[in-house]
Amino acid sequence: MSFLENDNESNSQEKLIARINQLESDIAKLKESLHLEKLREQYLDLKGASNYLGVSPRSLYRIMIEGKLSYAIIGRRKKILVSELEEYVDKRKTAALGSIL
């Protein structure tokens, strides 16, 4: 009987350890998502925004003038929210093509 009790205890300890590991993983994911949300609410200047998109500042300015990307004027500088840049990129994504094989 004691062998079965030890086996059950060992099994429940393993389950508990597995659950703790899962919870730690979930907490890390939540922290990361909260950090990303804070980043989405930050403004970038034109240089930072152009680096984010991988285009020249001149190209970014043209995109803004064409009304394809919204911006705010803070002081005398144009600033763009990171979330706006993400939306701009998402609108221009294309679906993946099927396999070429």
Side-chain angles (χ1 to χ4, degrees), residues 45-47 49-51 53 55-73 76-80 85 88:
D45 61 0
L46 292 183
K47 184 177 180 181
S50 64
N51 285 337
L53 294 177
V55 299
S56 70
R58 177 180 246 168
S59 295
L60 177 65
Y61 193 74
R62 184 177 32 78
I63 291 168
M64 292 164 54
I65 297 255
E66 292 171 354
K68 296 178 182 176
L69 184 61
S70 61
Y71 60 93
I73 298 176
R76 293 181 4 197
R77 308 248 186 229
K78 292 177 178 67
K79 304 279 185 168
I80 304 170
L85 293 169
Y88 176 79

Side-chain angles (χ1 to χ4, degrees), residues 77-98:
R77 308 248 186 229
K78 292 177 178 67
K79 304 279 185 168
I80 304 170
L81 276 172
V82 172
S83 60
E84 292 290 332
L85 293 169
E86 289 175 349
E87 288 177 28
Y88 176 79
V89 170
D90 287 342
K91 288 178 186 176
R92 281 144 187 83
K93 283 184 181 177
T94 58
L97 299 175

Side-chain angles (χ1 to χ4, degrees), residues 26-43:
D26 291 346
I27 289 170
K29 288 177 185 176
L30 283 172
K31 284 181 179 179
E32 184 178 324
S33 69
L34 289 174
H35 180 67
L36 291 176
E37 283 302 314
K38 287 180 183 176
L39 288 177
R40 294 187 82 235
E41 297 171 3
Q42 289 185 349
Y43 283 94

Side-chain angles (χ1 to χ4, degrees), residues 11-27:
N11 195 13
S12 59
Q13 286 177 349
E14 290 173 4
K15 287 180 182 178
L16 185 59
I17 290 171
R19 181 67 179 137
I20 290 171
N21 289 336
Q22 180 62 41
L23 288 172
E24 287 176 343
S25 174
D26 291 346
I27 289 170

